Amino acid sequence: MGWHYRKTIKVGPFRINLSRHGVGHSFGNRRFHVTTTPDGRRHVSVRLPGGFHVGKSFGGHRHRRY
């Protein structure tokens, strides 16, 4: 069984996400959100009225060995 850790520090519209994988950050509000993961991938999501949600990820997966 693995261990997990996650801590989020919020500064206005910015969030700094600390985990055992590294440091990621995100920016946005309820309608538009951009996230960068510790391994360099980016995810952009847009929420539209009526419950519609569109998301797109950019960047490849980097394989890490623990």
Side-chain angles (χ1 to χ4, degrees), residues 3-4 6-7 9-10 13 18 22 38-39 42 44 52 66:
W3 62 278
H4 301 280
R6 180 174 174 157
K7 173 70 177 171
I9 301 168
K10 187 174 179 183
L18 307 171
D39 62 358
R42 288 204 172 122
V44 177
F52 294 103
Y66 295 102

Side-chain angles (χ1 to χ4, degrees), residues 37-66:
T37 62
D39 62 358
R41 290 180 287 150
R42 288 204 172 122
H43 184 78
V44 177
S45 63
V46 178
R47 293 184 186 271
L48 303 173
F52 294 103
H53 177 256
V54 179
K56 176 72 176 169
S57 292
F58 300 96
H61 297 277
R62 290 188 201 164
H63 297 286
R64 288 186 168 185
R65 296 189 181 250
Y66 295 102

